[in-house]
Amino acid sequence: GNWGTLFPATHTIAIPDEKEYQRISFASIESTTPDAMDVTSTVVSHCSISRRRRVPQYPTMASHPETKIDCSKVYVKQSSFSNDSTGMFDGAFAAVPIKEGDLVEKGVMRRLPEGFDGNTCPYIFTWSTERPNKIWGMGSGCAPFYNTCKEGTANTRMVRFFDEDRFEIYATRDIEAGEELLHTYISLKWRRCFSELNEIVHADDSEHKSAD
């Protein structure tokens, strides 16, 4: 008969070995001719042995119970508000759909040295309720890339824990994946570095006043 019919074309055996799996594969067993009834005429053309190590499962940034920073729902790319007239700048976007009230991002704030003037730098945060403000901070994660908008129109809000030097950002409404994330800067109306931006954001207010 045909000895090849007694064997499958490929045969795999998985052998557990403590921390590893040993995988043995026999492939392409050639058939003997009907006249050759000798087992030795059957040829194994390929035999391979490989070891596959178990990959340790580590918690992600979002799932680690001790993480202080989680921006796993957010990514950064060129802002949808940037153009030739405004110049090119980046913005933060939702990587997944986010429901109203859900946490968008959380992080920590690093206080800048005393004497730093945040009125000249738009990339840092006002980090106190004192006015004029004297404490400034540098935020973690994607938080520095959130652009701003008029009060009451932002799709996120930042909750600041000044005493703990941390923050949390929540969705003020349902947010679609790919939508740019905005929150209203608490210093938008009085920081010198935001004066031009404040005029742009509140341009409609000026028009309404003129019309009145």
Side-chain angles (χ1 to χ4, degrees):
N2 189 335
W3 284 89
T5 60
L6 299 180
F7 301 95
T10 301
H11 186 64
T12 302
I13 304 173
I15 304 174
D17 179 20
E18 293 183 356
K19 296 182 179 180
E20 298 176 341
Y21 286 111
Q22 180 172 282
R23 184 170 293 279
I24 306 174
S25 299
F26 300 92
S28 185
I29 300 179
E30 296 181 357
S31 301
T32 63
T33 63
D35 297 330
M37 299 300 295
D38 191 344
V39 170
T40 58
S41 65
T42 301
V43 180
V44 178
S45 63
H46 178 69
C47 176
S48 65
I49 300 176
S50 62
R51 292 183 178 273
R52 183 178 63 188
R53 293 186 178 276
R54 289 177 178 170
V55 179
Q57 297 298 313
Y58 296 107
T60 63
M61 174 176 62
S63 66
H64 199 291
E66 296 182 4
T67 186
K68 291 184 176 182
I69 300 172
D70 179 10
C71 54
S72 58
K73 298 178 183 178
V74 185
Y75 67 98
V76 174
K77 68 173 184 177
Q78 183 176 311
S79 172
S80 58
F81 298 100
S82 66
N83 52 54
D84 292 338
S85 60
T86 62
M88 299 302 165
F89 56 91
D90 292 327
F93 292 78
V96 297
I98 306 172
K99 292 292 185 182
E100 179 180 353
D102 283 356
L103 180 70
V104 177
E105 177 176 355
K106 68 178 180 179
V108 296
M109 195 69 60
R110 287 291 175 259
R111 299 191 182 204
L112 295 173
E114 185 176 351
F116 184 90
D117 186 6
N119 285 294
T120 62
C121 179
Y123 306 113
I124 50 93
F125 291 81
T126 302
W127 202 242
S128 77
T129 56
E130 183 184 11
R131 299 294 180 267
N133 181 70
K134 298 177 182 177
I135 303 174
W136 310 94
M138 180 175 62
S140 66
C142 299
F145 296 94
Y146 287 58
N147 289 307
T148 195
C149 59
K150 190 184 300 185
E151 297 85 344
T153 63
N155 55 11
T156 74
R157 63 182 179 89
M158 176 181 279
V159 180
R160 298 164 174 81
F161 300 91
F162 296 120
D163 294 340
E164 301 174 30
D165 286 340
R166 65 182 184 90
F167 63 86
E168 295 175 352
I169 300 175
Y170 291 91
T172 59
R173 59 169 173 78
D174 290 351
I175 300 173
E176 297 181 0
E179 185 177 345
E180 184 160 3
L181 302 172
L182 306 172
H183 75 88
T184 302
Y185 303 161
I186 60 174
S187 56
L188 178 61
K189 292 184 175 181
W190 53 265
R191 271 170 75 177
R192 292 194 303 273
C193 58
F194 289 151
S195 59
E196 184 176 351
L197 178 60
N198 183 50
E199 290 179 3
I200 295 172
V201 170
H202 294 96
D204 291 344
D205 296 347
S206 299
E207 292 176 2
H208 292 158
K209 289 179 180 179
S210 299
D212 293 341

